[in-house]
Amino acid sequence: SYVLTQPPSVSVAPGNTASITCGGENIGSETVHWYRQRPGQAPVLVTYYDDARPSGIPDRFSGSRSGNTATLTITRVEAGDEADYYCQVWDSDSDPSYVFGTGTKFTVL
Amino acid sequence: QVLLLQSGPEVTKPGASVKVSCKASGDRFTTHYVHWVRQAPGQGLEWMARINPSHGDTYFAQKFQGRVTMAWDTSTNTAYMQLSRLTFDDTAMYYCTRSSLRDWYYFDIWGQGTQVTVSS
């Protein structure tokens, strides 16, 4: 099955910019979606199709893709951004087709 | 506002089955798939299966083929997921979520989760 690898943890001070990566073979040919999961809560979609945002998600969140890596960038980091973040793709050749990354615990220092 | 409201926590024994419900409000869900995703304690997200409420067709991760049954009740706008032959490894939070039929690649709305605990 398709594997998406994320760093286990990322830490950033408030007001700075954070980058959370998601690596996968040929991820450049996939569309990548990102979810935020605060402790004790359900996941929430934060970006889809790399850099589109659902209503209610601030423009501080953006996604990008280059080579075998997708990146979620959070600018002007706030305490409320602290959460686990997961990337996700749909890969027709994989079982399961819906694949989540390993997850990153994002800490605001 | 579209909401997915799931049933309450379940405690069950190895070998038994559990049935979780997911009631949709604010949308008839004729244009969306309903999916089930689970998360074991301290672990990541794992996609299990999906159902098309309009036609009832289903699609499973091979890992769950034969153990998961899904259904949709049109009269109550509620999805059901039953997991059988439970083991301790099935202890997890189970989420329902949805994706568009035309744009099925990501999940835009999630239920609050149902905790299933398998204990002897």
Side-chain angles (χ1 to χ4, degrees), chain A residues 53-104:
Chain A
R53 287 184 311 278
S55 60
I57 300 298
D59 60 5
R60 299 186 299 105
F61 290 83
S62 63
S64 63
R65 216 164 10 115
S66 178
N68 284 336
T69 302
T71 302
L72 176 69
T73 300
I74 310 172
T75 60
R76 303 185 304 280
V77 164
E78 303 174 355
D81 298 332
E82 188 162 289
D84 293 329
Y85 288 84
Y86 294 91
C87 57
Q88 177 252 318
V89 304
W90 182 85
D91 184 272
S92 61
D93 295 325
S94 176
D95 174 67
S97 291
Y98 294 92
V99 182
F100 289 95
T102 50
T104 297

mmCIF file of all heavy atoms in Angstrom, chain A residues 53-104:
data_model
loop_
_atom_site.group_PDB
_atom_site.id
_atom_site.type_symbol
_atom_site.label_atom_id
_atom_site.label_comp_id
_atom_site.label_asym_id
_atom_site.label_seq_id
_atom_site.Cartn_x
_atom_site.Cartn_y
_atom_site.Cartn_z
ATOM 1 N N ARG A 53 -8.688 26.095 0.442
ATOM 2 C CA ARG A 53 -9.086 26.087 1.853
ATOM 3 C C ARG A 53 -10.601 26.072 1.976
ATOM 4 O O ARG A 53 -11.294 26.832 1.285
ATOM 5 C CB ARG A 53 -8.562 27.326 2.575
ATOM 6 C CG ARG A 53 -7.076 27.342 2.846
ATOM 7 C CD ARG A 53 -6.703 28.587 3.664
ATOM 8 N NE ARG A 53 -7.278 29.789 3.076
ATOM 9 C CZ ARG A 53 -6.742 30.447 2.066
ATOM 10 N NH1 ARG A 53 -5.620 30.023 1.525
ATOM 11 N NH2 ARG A 53 -7.334 31.544 1.593
ATOM 12 N N PRO A 54 -11.137 25.244 2.886
ATOM 13 C CA PRO A 54 -12.587 25.321 3.155
ATOM 14 C C PRO A 54 -12.919 26.646 3.811
ATOM 15 O O PRO A 54 -12.045 27.323 4.371
ATOM 16 C CB PRO A 54 -12.820 24.161 4.135
ATOM 17 C CG PRO A 54 -11.590 23.343 4.099
ATOM 18 C CD PRO A 54 -10.474 24.230 3.697
ATOM 19 N N SER A 55 -14.182 27.015 3.752
ATOM 20 C CA SER A 55 -14.592 28.243 4.427
ATOM 21 C C SER A 55 -14.325 28.106 5.916
ATOM 22 O O SER A 55 -14.530 27.034 6.509
ATOM 23 C CB SER A 55 -16.079 28.531 4.173
ATOM 24 O OG SER A 55 -16.857 27.463 4.669
ATOM 25 N N GLY A 56 -13.847 29.186 6.513
ATOM 26 C CA GLY A 56 -13.556 29.184 7.938
ATOM 27 C C GLY A 56 -12.108 28.897 8.272
ATOM 28 O O GLY A 56 -11.678 29.114 9.405
ATOM 29 N N ILE A 57 -11.345 28.426 7.307
ATOM 30 C CA ILE A 57 -9.916 28.186 7.528
ATOM 31 C C ILE A 57 -9.158 29.436 7.069
ATOM 32 O O ILE A 57 -9.288 29.853 5.920
ATOM 33 C CB ILE A 57 -9.413 26.955 6.754
ATOM 34 C CG1 ILE A 57 -10.169 25.703 7.211
ATOM 35 C CG2 ILE A 57 -7.902 26.780 6.950
ATOM 36 C CD1 ILE A 57 -9.983 25.340 8.677
ATOM 37 N N PRO A 58 -8.368 30.037 7.947
ATOM 38 C CA PRO A 58 -7.684 31.292 7.588
ATOM 39 C C PRO A 58 -6.611 31.074 6.524
ATOM 40 O O PRO A 58 -6.089 29.962 6.358
ATOM 41 C CB PRO A 58 -7.073 31.745 8.916
ATOM 42 C CG PRO A 58 -6.958 30.509 9.744
ATOM 43 C CD PRO A 58 -8.084 29.611 9.338
ATOM 44 N N ASP A 59 -6.284 32.170 5.852
ATOM 45 C CA ASP A 59 -5.286 32.078 4.773
ATOM 46 C C ASP A 59 -3.866 31.920 5.310
ATOM 47 O O ASP A 59 -2.909 31.901 4.531
ATOM 48 C CB ASP A 59 -5.397 33.273 3.826
ATOM 49 C CG ASP A 59 -5.169 34.600 4.527
ATOM 50 O OD1 ASP A 59 -4.826 34.595 5.719
ATOM 51 O OD2 ASP A 59 -5.335 35.643 3.866
ATOM 52 N N ARG A 60 -3.732 31.797 6.613
ATOM 53 C CA ARG A 60 -2.418 31.473 7.188
ATOM 54 C C ARG A 60 -2.022 30.034 6.854
ATOM 55 O O ARG A 60 -0.856 29.673 6.960
ATOM 56 C CB ARG A 60 -2.443 31.654 8.704
ATOM 57 C CG ARG A 60 -2.747 33.051 9.174
ATOM 58 C CD ARG A 60 -2.622 33.193 10.687
ATOM 59 N NE ARG A 60 -3.536 32.331 11.440
ATOM 60 C CZ ARG A 60 -3.162 31.224 12.071
ATOM 61 N NH1 ARG A 60 -1.907 30.824 12.055
ATOM 62 N NH2 ARG A 60 -4.057 30.517 12.744
ATOM 63 N N PHE A 61 -3.001 29.218 6.453
ATOM 64 C CA PHE A 61 -2.753 27.821 6.097
ATOM 65 C C PHE A 61 -2.665 27.689 4.573
ATOM 66 O O PHE A 61 -3.571 28.136 3.855
ATOM 67 C CB PHE A 61 -3.879 26.919 6.603
ATOM 68 C CG PHE A 61 -3.901 26.757 8.098
ATOM 69 C CD1 PHE A 61 -4.505 27.718 8.897
ATOM 70 C CD2 PHE A 61 -3.321 25.658 8.694
ATOM 71 C CE1 PHE A 61 -4.519 27.580 10.282
ATOM 72 C CE2 PHE A 61 -3.341 25.491 10.076
ATOM 73 C CZ PHE A 61 -3.940 26.462 10.866
ATOM 74 N N SER A 62 -1.584 27.080 4.100
ATOM 75 C CA SER A 62 -1.462 26.851 2.666
ATOM 76 C C SER A 62 -0.699 25.564 2.426
ATOM 77 O O SER A 62 0.118 25.133 3.247
ATOM 78 C CB SER A 62 -0.754 28.019 1.979
ATOM 79 O OG SER A 62 0.570 28.143 2.466
ATOM 80 N N GLY A 63 -0.991 24.950 1.287
ATOM 81 C CA GLY A 63 -0.322 23.709 0.928
ATOM 82 C C GLY A 63 0.445 23.874 -0.363
ATOM 83 O O GLY A 63 0.137 24.744 -1.184
ATOM 84 N N SER A 64 1.446 23.035 -0.533
ATOM 85 C CA SER A 64 2.229 23.034 -1.766
ATOM 86 C C SER A 64 2.797 21.643 -1.983
ATOM 87 O O SER A 64 2.750 20.785 -1.092
ATOM 88 C CB SER A 64 3.349 24.077 -1.697
ATOM 89 O OG SER A 64 4.255 23.749 -0.636
ATOM 90 N N ARG A 65 3.309 21.450 -3.182
ATOM 91 C CA ARG A 65 3.866 20.137 -3.534
ATOM 92 C C ARG A 65 5.073 20.359 -4.422
ATOM 93 O O ARG A 65 5.039 21.208 -5.324
ATOM 94 C CB ARG A 65 2.821 19.338 -4.296
ATOM 95 C CG ARG A 65 2.780 17.879 -4.061
ATOM 96 C CD ARG A 65 1.477 17.230 -4.562
ATOM 97 N NE ARG A 65 0.618 18.024 -5.349
ATOM 98 C CZ ARG A 65 0.343 17.763 -6.646
ATOM 99 N NH1 ARG A 65 0.951 16.779 -7.254
ATOM 100 N NH2 ARG A 65 -0.516 18.518 -7.307
ATOM 101 N N SER A 66 6.160 19.604 -4.194
ATOM 102 C CA SER A 66 7.349 19.697 -5.033
ATOM 103 C C SER A 66 8.074 18.368 -4.969
ATOM 104 O O SER A 66 8.409 17.882 -3.877
ATOM 105 C CB SER A 66 8.256 20.840 -4.536
ATOM 106 O OG SER A 66 9.438 20.910 -5.302
ATOM 107 N N GLY A 67 8.292 17.780 -6.141
ATOM 108 C CA GLY A 67 8.970 16.496 -6.177
ATOM 109 C C GLY A 67 8.205 15.446 -5.412
ATOM 110 O O GLY A 67 7.016 15.244 -5.630
ATOM 111 N N ASN A 68 8.866 14.769 -4.485
ATOM 112 C CA ASN A 68 8.230 13.714 -3.695
ATOM 113 C C ASN A 68 7.754 14.200 -2.332
ATOM 114 O O ASN A 68 7.527 13.381 -1.427
ATOM 115 C CB ASN A 68 9.198 12.541 -3.504
ATOM 116 C CG ASN A 68 9.324 11.692 -4.746
ATOM 117 O OD1 ASN A 68 8.416 11.671 -5.579
ATOM 118 N ND2 ASN A 68 10.438 11.017 -4.886
ATOM 119 N N THR A 69 7.583 15.512 -2.187
ATOM 120 C CA THR A 69 7.194 16.062 -0.885
ATOM 121 C C THR A 69 6.067 17.070 -1.028
ATOM 122 O O THR A 69 6.112 17.934 -1.901
ATOM 123 C CB THR A 69 8.397 16.731 -0.208
ATOM 124 O OG1 THR A 69 9.453 15.769 -0.047
ATOM 125 C CG2 THR A 69 8.019 17.266 1.168
ATOM 126 N N ALA A 70 5.067 16.934 -0.164
ATOM 127 C CA ALA A 70 4.039 17.948 -0.016
ATOM 128 C C ALA A 70 4.293 18.661 1.312
ATOM 129 O O ALA A 70 4.818 18.061 2.256
ATOM 130 C CB ALA A 70 2.650 17.319 -0.023
ATOM 131 N N THR A 71 3.916 19.930 1.369
ATOM 132 C CA THR A 71 4.182 20.724 2.562
ATOM 133 C C THR A 71 2.952 21.526 2.960
ATOM 134 O O THR A 71 2.327 22.162 2.107
ATOM 135 C CB THR A 71 5.361 21.686 2.328
ATOM 136 O OG1 THR A 71 6.527 20.933 1.961
ATOM 137 C CG2 THR A 71 5.667 22.487 3.589
ATOM 138 N N LEU A 72 2.636 21.487 4.238
ATOM 139 C CA LEU A 72 1.637 22.377 4.816
ATOM 140 C C LEU A 72 2.396 23.496 5.512
ATOM 141 O O LEU A 72 3.242 23.227 6.373
ATOM 142 C CB LEU A 72 0.748 21.644 5.815
ATOM 143 C CG LEU A 72 -0.275 22.514 6.560
ATOM 144 C CD1 LEU A 72 -1.368 22.994 5.603
ATOM 145 C CD2 LEU A 72 -0.887 21.760 7.741
ATOM 146 N N THR A 73 2.099 24.722 5.136
ATOM 147 C CA THR A 73 2.754 25.882 5.722
ATOM 148 C C THR A 73 1.750 26.661 6.542
ATOM 149 O O THR A 73 0.634 26.935 6.081
ATOM 150 C CB THR A 73 3.358 26.784 4.632
ATOM 151 O OG1 THR A 73 4.320 26.019 3.880
ATOM 152 C CG2 THR A 73 4.056 27.981 5.259
ATOM 153 N N ILE A 74 2.150 26.982 7.757
ATOM 154 C CA ILE A 74 1.312 27.792 8.645
ATOM 155 C C ILE A 74 2.095 29.054 8.968
ATOM 156 O O ILE A 74 3.170 28.990 9.581
ATOM 157 C CB ILE A 74 0.960 27.043 9.948
ATOM 158 C CG1 ILE A 74 0.428 25.641 9.660
ATOM 159 C CG2 ILE A 74 -0.053 27.845 10.757
ATOM 160 C CD1 ILE A 74 0.244 24.778 10.908
ATOM 161 N N THR A 75 1.593 30.203 8.538
ATOM 162 C CA THR A 75 2.262 31.471 8.827
ATOM 163 C C THR A 75 1.635 32.109 10.068
ATOM 164 O O THR A 75 0.522 31.778 10.474
ATOM 165 C CB THR A 75 2.147 32.429 7.640
ATOM 166 O OG1 THR A 75 0.761 32.675 7.371
ATOM 167 C CG2 THR A 75 2.798 31.828 6.398
ATOM 168 N N ARG A 76 2.382 33.002 10.682
ATOM 169 C CA ARG A 76 1.899 33.734 11.870
ATOM 170 C C ARG A 76 1.259 32.757 12.857
ATOM 171 O O ARG A 76 0.106 32.903 13.260
ATOM 172 C CB ARG A 76 0.917 34.831 11.467
ATOM 173 C CG ARG A 76 1.515 35.815 10.467
ATOM 174 C CD ARG A 76 0.577 36.977 10.146
ATOM 175 N NE ARG A 76 -0.726 36.582 9.663
ATOM 176 C CZ ARG A 76 -1.005 36.204 8.428
ATOM 177 N NH1 ARG A 76 -0.034 36.160 7.519
ATOM 178 N NH2 ARG A 76 -2.232 35.874 8.078
ATOM 179 N N VAL A 77 2.038 31.787 13.256
ATOM 180 C CA VAL A 77 1.540 30.697 14.109
ATOM 181 C C VAL A 77 0.920 31.225 15.400
ATOM 182 O O VAL A 77 1.466 32.148 16.040
ATOM 183 C CB VAL A 77 2.686 29.705 14.411
ATOM 184 C CG1 VAL A 77 2.344 28.787 15.575
ATOM 185 C CG2 VAL A 77 3.020 28.884 13.164
ATOM 186 N N GLU A 78 -0.206 30.620 15.760
ATOM 187 C CA GLU A 78 -0.924 30.969 16.987
ATOM 188 C C GLU A 78 -1.017 29.742 17.892
ATOM 189 O O GLU A 78 -0.922 28.606 17.429
ATOM 190 C CB GLU A 78 -2.332 31.456 16.650
ATOM 191 C CG GLU A 78 -2.386 32.633 15.709
ATOM 192 C CD GLU A 78 -3.813 32.979 15.305
ATOM 193 O OE1 GLU A 78 -4.750 32.240 15.689
ATOM 194 O OE2 GLU A 78 -3.983 33.998 14.594
ATOM 195 N N ALA A 79 -1.267 29.996 19.158
ATOM 196 C CA ALA A 79 -1.370 28.894 20.122
ATOM 197 C C ALA A 79 -2.452 27.896 19.718
ATOM 198 O O ALA A 79 -2.320 26.680 19.918
ATOM 199 C CB ALA A 79 -1.649 29.446 21.517
ATOM 200 N N GLY A 80 -3.525 28.394 19.127
ATOM 201 C CA GLY A 80 -4.632 27.540 18.720
ATOM 202 C C GLY A 80 -4.316 26.613 17.557
ATOM 203 O O GLY A 80 -5.108 25.729 17.226
ATOM 204 N N ASP A 81 -3.161 26.801 16.926
ATOM 205 C CA ASP A 81 -2.771 25.917 15.820
ATOM 206 C C ASP A 81 -2.179 24.601 16.331
ATOM 207 O O ASP A 81 -1.966 23.670 15.551
ATOM 208 C CB ASP A 81 -1.738 26.606 14.926
ATOM 209 C CG ASP A 81 -2.268 27.870 14.283
ATOM 210 O OD1 ASP A 81 -3.495 27.956 14.067
ATOM 211 O OD2 ASP A 81 -1.470 28.789 14.007
ATOM 212 N N GLU A 82 -1.906 24.555 17.620
ATOM 213 C CA GLU A 82 -1.307 23.344 18.191
ATOM 214 C C GLU A 82 -2.267 22.168 18.032
ATOM 215 O O GLU A 82 -3.411 22.222 18.481
ATOM 216 C CB GLU A 82 -0.966 23.560 19.656
ATOM 217 C CG GLU A 82 -0.164 22.414 20.266
ATOM 218 C CD GLU A 82 0.525 22.818 21.555
ATOM 219 O OE1 GLU A 82 1.494 23.602 21.484
ATOM 220 O OE2 GLU A 82 0.065 22.357 22.622
ATOM 221 N N ALA A 83 -1.790 21.106 17.384
ATOM 222 C CA ALA A 83 -2.642 19.959 17.057
ATOM 223 C C ALA A 83 -1.794 18.904 16.349
ATOM 224 O O ALA A 83 -0.612 19.127 16.063
ATOM 225 C CB ALA A 83 -3.782 20.389 16.129
ATOM 226 N N ASP A 84 -2.426 17.775 16.066
ATOM 227 C CA ASP A 84 -1.833 16.796 15.155
ATOM 228 C C ASP A 84 -2.306 17.127 13.742
ATOM 229 O O ASP A 84 -3.473 17.477 13.535
ATOM 230 C CB ASP A 84 -2.262 15.373 15.519
ATOM 231 C CG ASP A 84 -1.704 14.923 16.854
ATOM 232 O OD1 ASP A 84 -0.604 15.371 17.225
ATOM 233 O OD2 ASP A 84 -2.378 14.122 17.542
ATOM 234 N N TYR A 85 -1.401 17.001 12.790
ATOM 235 C CA TYR A 85 -1.730 17.276 11.393
ATOM 236 C C TYR A 85 -1.454 16.033 10.552
ATOM 237 O O TYR A 85 -0.414 15.373 10.710
ATOM 238 C CB TYR A 85 -0.921 18.462 10.860
ATOM 239 C CG TYR A 85 -1.382 19.783 11.439
ATOM 240 C CD1 TYR A 85 -0.925 20.224 12.675
ATOM 241 C CD2 TYR A 85 -2.303 20.573 10.753
ATOM 242 C CE1 TYR A 85 -1.365 21.418 13.218
ATOM 243 C CE2 TYR A 85 -2.749 21.774 11.289
ATOM 244 C CZ TYR A 85 -2.278 22.188 12.516
ATOM 245 O OH TYR A 85 -2.720 23.378 13.055
ATOM 246 N N TYR A 86 -2.397 15.725 9.658
ATOM 247 C CA TYR A 86 -2.287 14.561 8.784
ATOM 248 C C TYR A 86 -2.439 14.968 7.325
ATOM 249 O O TYR A 86 -3.362 15.725 6.988
ATOM 250 C CB TYR A 86 -3.387 13.539 9.103
ATOM 251 C CG TYR A 86 -3.275 12.902 10.468
ATOM 252 C CD1 TYR A 86 -3.917 13.461 11.571
ATOM 253 C CD2 TYR A 86 -2.536 11.741 10.648
ATOM 254 C CE1 TYR A 86 -3.811 12.886 12.828
ATOM 255 C CE2 TYR A 86 -2.433 11.147 11.897
ATOM 256 C CZ TYR A 86 -3.071 11.727 12.978
ATOM 257 O OH TYR A 86 -2.971 11.143 14.223
ATOM 258 N N CYS A 87 -1.555 14.474 6.474
ATOM 259 C CA CYS A 87 -1.765 14.604 5.045
ATOM 260 C C CYS A 87 -2.553 13.386 4.563
ATOM 261 O O CYS A 87 -2.637 12.360 5.262
ATOM 262 C CB CYS A 87 -0.447 14.721 4.283
ATOM 263 S SG CYS A 87 0.728 13.352 4.537
ATOM 264 N N GLN A 88 -3.123 13.491 3.383
ATOM 265 C CA GLN A 88 -3.944 12.393 2.848
ATOM 266 C C GLN A 88 -3.992 12.477 1.329
ATOM 267 O O GLN A 88 -4.046 13.576 0.765
ATOM 268 C CB GLN A 88 -5.362 12.474 3.428
ATOM 269 C CG GLN A 88 -6.340 11.421 2.902
ATOM 270 C CD GLN A 88 -7.382 12.003 1.968
ATOM 271 O OE1 GLN A 88 -7.928 13.058 2.210
ATOM 272 N NE2 GLN A 88 -7.651 11.293 0.879
ATOM 273 N N VAL A 89 -3.951 11.329 0.686
ATOM 274 C CA VAL A 89 -4.116 11.267 -0.766
ATOM 275 C C VAL A 89 -5.115 10.167 -1.091
ATOM 276 O O VAL A 89 -5.407 9.303 -0.271
ATOM 277 C CB VAL A 89 -2.789 10.984 -1.514
ATOM 278 C CG1 VAL A 89 -1.733 12.017 -1.160
ATOM 279 C CG2 VAL A 89 -2.277 9.576 -1.228
ATOM 280 N N TRP A 90 -5.607 10.205 -2.304
ATOM 281 C CA TRP A 90 -6.388 9.101 -2.867
ATOM 282 C C TRP A 90 -5.543 8.520 -3.985
ATOM 283 O O TRP A 90 -5.173 9.219 -4.922
ATOM 284 C CB TRP A 90 -7.725 9.587 -3.410
ATOM 285 C CG TRP A 90 -8.574 8.475 -3.951
ATOM 286 C CD1 TRP A 90 -9.411 7.667 -3.231
ATOM 287 C CD2 TRP A 90 -8.675 8.039 -5.310
ATOM 288 N NE1 TRP A 90 -10.030 6.757 -4.058
ATOM 289 C CE2 TRP A 90 -9.588 6.968 -5.350
ATOM 290 C CE3 TRP A 90 -8.086 8.450 -6.504
ATOM 291 C CZ2 TRP A 90 -9.925 6.300 -6.521
ATOM 292 C CZ3 TRP A 90 -8.410 7.788 -7.683
ATOM 293 C CH2 TRP A 90 -9.322 6.724 -7.670
ATOM 294 N N ASP A 91 -5.227 7.237 -3.859
ATOM 295 C CA ASP A 91 -4.376 6.577 -4.845
ATOM 296 C C ASP A 91 -5.093 5.343 -5.360
ATOM 297 O O ASP A 91 -5.293 4.380 -4.615
ATOM 298 C CB ASP A 91 -3.037 6.193 -4.209
ATOM 299 C CG ASP A 91 -2.070 5.583 -5.206
ATOM 300 O OD1 ASP A 91 -2.122 4.358 -5.399
ATOM 301 O OD2 ASP A 91 -1.281 6.343 -5.797
ATOM 302 N N SER A 92 -5.458 5.364 -6.635
ATOM 303 C CA SER A 92 -6.272 4.278 -7.190
ATOM 304 C C SER A 92 -5.532 2.942 -7.219
ATOM 305 O O SER A 92 -6.157 1.891 -7.257
ATOM 306 C CB SER A 92 -6.736 4.636 -8.600
ATOM 307 O OG SER A 92 -5.616 4.828 -9.451
ATOM 308 N N ASP A 93 -4.222 2.978 -7.163
ATOM 309 C CA ASP A 93 -3.449 1.725 -7.237
ATOM 310 C C ASP A 93 -3.146 1.141 -5.860
ATOM 311 O O ASP A 93 -2.516 0.095 -5.747
ATOM 312 C CB ASP A 93 -2.128 1.970 -7.971
ATOM 313 C CG ASP A 93 -2.347 2.352 -9.418
ATOM 314 O OD1 ASP A 93 -3.307 1.827 -10.028
ATOM 315 O OD2 ASP A 93 -1.577 3.180 -9.930
ATOM 316 N N SER A 94 -3.565 1.845 -4.819
ATOM 317 C CA SER A 94 -3.239 1.420 -3.462
ATOM 318 C C SER A 94 -4.443 0.755 -2.810
ATOM 319 O O SER A 94 -5.593 0.986 -3.181
ATOM 320 C CB SER A 94 -2.819 2.640 -2.637
ATOM 321 O OG SER A 94 -2.580 2.296 -1.289
ATOM 322 N N ASP A 95 -4.183 -0.087 -1.840
ATOM 323 C CA ASP A 95 -5.238 -0.587 -0.972
ATOM 324 C C ASP A 95 -4.810 -0.351 0.463
ATOM 325 O O ASP A 95 -3.825 -0.944 0.901
ATOM 326 C CB ASP A 95 -5.518 -2.076 -1.192
ATOM 327 C CG ASP A 95 -6.531 -2.597 -0.173
ATOM 328 O OD1 ASP A 95 -7.703 -2.175 -0.232
ATOM 329 O OD2 ASP A 95 -6.124 -3.371 0.720
ATOM 330 N N PRO A 96 -5.517 0.448 1.221
ATOM 331 C CA PRO A 96 -6.708 1.193 0.793
ATOM 332 C C PRO A 96 -6.378 2.342 -0.144
ATOM 333 O O PRO A 96 -5.239 2.802 -0.161
ATOM 334 C CB PRO A 96 -7.266 1.714 2.120
ATOM 335 C CG PRO A 96 -6.063 1.876 2.979
ATOM 336 C CD PRO A 96 -5.137 0.749 2.605
ATOM 337 N N SER A 97 -7.360 2.792 -0.888
ATOM 338 C CA SER A 97 -7.134 3.901 -1.822
ATOM 339 C C SER A 97 -6.979 5.220 -1.107
ATOM 340 O O SER A 97 -6.295 6.111 -1.601
ATOM 341 C CB SER A 97 -8.284 3.981 -2.832
ATOM 342 O OG SER A 97 -8.254 2.872 -3.702
ATOM 343 N N TYR A 98 -7.661 5.354 0.029
ATOM 344 C CA TYR A 98 -7.530 6.575 0.819
ATOM 345 C C TYR A 98 -6.410 6.338 1.830
ATOM 346 O O TYR A 98 -6.517 5.470 2.695
ATOM 347 C CB TYR A 98 -8.835 6.895 1.545
ATOM 348 C CG TYR A 98 -9.978 7.242 0.620
ATOM 349 C CD1 TYR A 98 -10.849 6.263 0.165
ATOM 350 C CD2 TYR A 98 -10.188 8.555 0.208
ATOM 351 C CE1 TYR A 98 -11.901 6.571 -0.681
ATOM 352 C CE2 TYR A 98 -11.244 8.879 -0.634
ATOM 353 C CZ TYR A 98 -12.092 7.877 -1.081
ATOM 354 O OH TYR A 98 -13.133 8.195 -1.923
ATOM 355 N N VAL A 99 -5.352 7.113 1.700
ATOM 356 C CA VAL A 99 -4.159 6.918 2.519
ATOM 357 C C VAL A 99 -3.884 8.171 3.336
ATOM 358 O O VAL A 99 -3.843 9.281 2.786
ATOM 359 C CB VAL A 99 -2.938 6.600 1.635
ATOM 360 C CG1 VAL A 99 -1.704 6.348 2.511
ATOM 361 C CG2 VAL A 99 -3.208 5.387 0.756
ATOM 362 N N PHE A 100 -3.679 7.982 4.628
ATOM 363 C CA PHE A 100 -3.304 9.086 5.504
ATOM 364 C C PHE A 100 -1.818 9.001 5.822
ATOM 365 O O PHE A 100 -1.234 7.908 5.890
ATOM 366 C CB PHE A 100 -4.083 9.011 6.827
ATOM 367 C CG PHE A 100 -5.545 9.339 6.691
ATOM 368 C CD1 PHE A 100 -6.481 8.328 6.527
ATOM 369 C CD2 PHE A 100 -5.973 10.653 6.724
ATOM 370 C CE1 PHE A 100 -7.828 8.624 6.402
ATOM 371 C CE2 PHE A 100 -7.316 10.964 6.614
ATOM 372 C CZ PHE A 100 -8.246 9.948 6.434
ATOM 373 N N GLY A 101 -1.225 10.169 6.031
ATOM 374 C CA GLY A 101 0.147 10.197 6.501
ATOM 375 C C GLY A 101 0.253 9.726 7.941
ATOM 376 O O GLY A 101 -0.759 9.518 8.622
ATOM 377 N N THR A 102 1.473 9.582 8.389
ATOM 378 C CA THR A 102 1.732 9.058 9.733
ATOM 379 C C THR A 102 1.404 10.048 10.840
ATOM 380 O O THR A 102 1.323 9.674 12.003
ATOM 381 C CB THR A 102 3.198 8.623 9.853
ATOM 382 O OG1 THR A 102 4.036 9.697 9.381
ATOM 383 C CG2 THR A 102 3.468 7.384 9.013
ATOM 384 N N GLY A 103 1.221 11.308 10.471
ATOM 385 C CA GLY A 103 0.817 12.316 11.442
ATOM 386 C C GLY A 103 1.992 13.058 12.055
ATOM 387 O O GLY A 103 3.059 12.492 12.287
ATOM 388 N N THR A 104 1.781 14.339 12.301
ATOM 389 C CA THR A 104 2.792 15.204 12.924
ATOM 390 C C THR A 104 2.175 15.923 14.100
ATOM 391 O O THR A 104 1.137 16.581 13.962
ATOM 392 C CB THR A 104 3.322 16.239 11.923
ATOM 393 O OG1 THR A 104 3.981 15.569 10.851
ATOM 394 C CG2 THR A 104 4.296 17.198 12.605
#
